[in-house]
Amino acid sequence: MTRRLLLLFLLLFNLQTLAVSLSSDGLSLLSLKSAVDNTSAFSDWNEDDDTPCNWTGVSCMNVSGSPDPRVVGLSLAGRNLRGYIPSELGTLVYLRRINLHYNSFYGQIPAQLFNATSLHSIFLYGNNLSGPLPPSICSIPRLQNLDLSSNHLSGVLPPELRNCKQLQRLILASNQFSGSLPDGIWPAMVNLAQLDLSANEFDGEIPEDIGELKSLSGTLNLSFNHFSGKIPNSLGKLPLAVSFDLRGNNLSGEIPQTGTFVNQGPTAFLNNPLLCGFPLRKKCENSDQNAPPGSGQRHTPSSDNLKKGLKPSLIVLISLADAAGVALIGLIAVYVYWKRNDSDGCSCTGKKKLGGGNGRHGWCLCICANDAAASEGGDSDREVGGSGRGEGELVAIDKGFTFELDELLRSSAYVLGKSGLGIVYKVVLANGAPVAVRRLGEGGEQRYKEFATEVQAIARVKHPNIVRLRAYYWAPDEKLLVSDYISNGSLASALRGKTGKPLSGFSWSVRLQIAKGTARGLAYLHECSPRKFVHGDIKPSNILLSHDFQPHISDFGLNRLISITGDNPGSSGGFMGAALPYLKTVQTDKPNNYRAPEARVFGSKPTQKWDVYSFGIILLELLTGRSPDQSPTASTSTEITDLVRWVRRGFEEENALSDMVDPVLLQEMHARKEVQAVFQIALACTEPDPEVRPRLKTVSENLDRIGN
């Protein structure tokens, strides 16, 4: 009997010790483990731990007012978890990020979850969640990112969304939401940059006040719903960089022609049978606004109006005049045809008006493009300019990417950036596809063969992390490169934002992905490309990011092309420059602090080790959140060193990693070893002696081992 009492006492003592040892945050997290069928993902979530901070998917940090680290992040994406989201997660008062996407969570989103008032990012997309969107969701004062797409959520959007004043991304695509969009909520969302309501059951008219979303960027996606009525003119007040996706609705009437509308291609409005006007090919009856602005198209009254407003004799005269006009046009066409055949297949007898006014950029140019230019590689041996074979040629390098020069020049364009390597425009083609067009310059009219050879060498470089060249245009006074348009801007913009300050919220997994992809692209240029290219100008502004933050290296091989054109590509001459007279407002690049020490010697020839050093600086920027343009302060207040020396000194003096790493990364404690490993790679890349630096192939292989 005494022995049984002793065992019972020991059991009660152990249970009491367990209840006391595990923190309150840990107990709340265990509710998630209990709510999920497959617990293999929680193998290290042990009830007898003192703290949950070492558990898989859990991030902690020290917060003011608490003696122990508190849970600030929960990330268990893509773990094949099936269960419900427990309401106890709402007791994690310091929780900032919850990421449970691509699992099989079902049931409703518990309203108690939003008691975790420190939340700023909620990622629950790709689950089986159902029910309405809780109105209390905007009781979270700092909510910035809400992605609930690809679930089975339903009901109407609550008007309480107007309280989400800090919200930057609202993504509710591929659900079953219905009803009209509420009025009055959109002007209150002053920070909203991304809005995606596509593939739902919304109906009614598009609210007029959506045009008040002044911070919107990217795509306003309202596609594949049941919206009806006219497209509100107010959408034209959205920022010019915004693209529309209004496909698959029941919209009607004429597409407005003001503001942001002039930058949209026809794809934005497809599958709306009752829509008409430019850029669709469907004309609107009783309207003279269905052609591109400035096209000068004459409005022709309908037959009903003619019958009502004109006498029969006048109708006969008009018909005869129209017939005479058609005959005259036919004679002119025959004349031009024979004239072209007599001039060896190509001639330019005058300037052709392209584009137009009223907000759409237009210019005049004599064009004579040969059909052979559309074949792969073009005719590199043909002399263009001064040869009597025409004044311009568009050469499509990729067989699957063909379009006419006239189409390119008619498309709307705006400036993406300007540097010593030329002005870059975004151009939306008639099929809705965006491309990037770089204007190189006006000189080099006698060096076409050399230019074409260089372009063909660049075009043969095909890698997922390198921007693809699609076509080029050559004329004596104009050279253009047409490449893929990468939608998410540059790494420089992502890191520093518009104000030049570091951008928070850049997770470690995204930074590591960018580092790995960039290293792979550079290693391919160095080892596998036909010429074993040296980029020579690697920096964040030359690393472009796609929508999923995959990096794409741009601008390689351009220095040679610039030397061939022989003048300043940043000048405002040429037909692209004439079309965009506001180029003087574009900022040029700052001095390049990513160059290797030996690259700063005048007359030195670029080497692959230049690229290695520049890549090392980018790694340090991803790790520290500091730009090399910002000189970090050293141990004394009066001593300033560069970024490389500052990091080296930190490791030599065995400073805490938290003193050097970007504060955002301190929240991801699980990544500590990975961060340290990347620091070592960065320091090896930035060795002062170029012979000591590793090859990019070795760097890429070492990075790929991290995190795997």
Side-chain angles (χ1 to χ4, degrees), residues 1-14:
M1 186 68 179
T2 304
R3 189 175 181 179
R4 290 181 179 177
L5 289 173
L6 179 61
L7 290 174
L8 181 61
F9 173 77
L10 291 174
L11 178 61
L12 291 173
F13 177 79
N14 289 334

Side-chain angles (χ1 to χ4, degrees), residues 428-655:
V428 181
L429 301 177
N431 63 359
V435 294
V437 179
R438 178 181 293 278
R439 179 175 180 269
L440 291 176
E442 304 173 24
E445 57 268 15
Q446 303 301 324
R447 304 175 68 180
Y448 173 73
K449 291 183 180 179
E450 191 177 355
F451 182 91
T453 300
E454 290 294 325
V455 171
Q456 295 296 335
I458 295 173
R460 284 194 291 270
V461 176
K462 299 176 182 179
H463 188 273
N465 297 113
I466 298 176
V467 175
R468 185 81 174 270
L469 183 64
R470 298 293 186 174
Y472 67 93
Y473 173 78
W474 168 276
D477 60 348
E478 190 66 86
K479 287 86 185 169
L480 306 175
L481 298 180
V482 182
S483 60
D484 287 344
Y485 171 71
I486 310 301
S487 61
N488 211 13
S490 70
L491 177 59
S493 298
L495 284 171
R496 301 165 205 156
K498 297 180 180 179
T499 61
K501 297 179 180 179
L503 187 65
S504 63
F506 226 174
S507 70
W508 170 244
S509 61
V510 171
R511 299 185 200 212
L512 186 59
Q513 171 182 288
I514 292 171
K516 289 181 177 181
T518 305
R520 293 188 196 111
L522 286 174
Y524 181 88
L525 281 178
H526 287 188
E527 307 285 345
C528 305
S529 63
R531 288 194 180 179
K532 299 190 184 316
F533 278 97
V534 174
H535 190 291
D537 194 27
I538 288 295
K539 52 189 176 182
S541 60
N542 290 337
I543 299 173
L544 307 181
L545 303 176
S546 61
H547 68 282
D548 57 351
F549 290 97
Q550 288 292 340
H552 299 260
I553 299 169
S554 66
D555 292 2
F556 78 94
L558 293 187
N559 285 312
R560 175 62 180 160
L561 294 177
I562 295 298
S563 67
I564 293 174
T565 59
D567 66 351
N568 176 20
S571 64
S572 58
F575 60 81
M576 290 294 278
L580 298 162
Y582 52 84
L583 289 179
K584 61 184 179 181
T585 65
V586 181
Q587 297 296 323
T588 58
D589 283 357
K590 296 179 180 179
N592 188 350
N593 292 318
Y594 296 87
R595 287 185 176 177
E598 69 273 15
R600 301 169 191 177
V601 178
F602 180 78
S604 55
K605 184 178 179 181
T607 68
Q608 292 184 350
K609 294 303 177 73
W610 285 23
D611 291 347
V612 176
Y613 186 95
S614 300
F615 178 70
I617 296 291
I618 292 173
L619 286 182
L620 290 179
E621 187 169 1
L622 288 170
L623 290 163
T624 65
R626 297 176 182 266
S627 165
D629 300 328
Q630 302 171 281
S631 297
T633 304
S635 55
T636 65
S637 59
T638 59
E639 184 180 4
I640 302 297
T641 67
D642 61 43
L643 181 59
V644 177
R645 290 172 57 194
W646 179 72
V647 173
R648 287 190 186 280
R649 178 174 297 179
F651 276 91
E652 291 168 358
E653 297 176 355
E654 298 183 353
N655 293 343

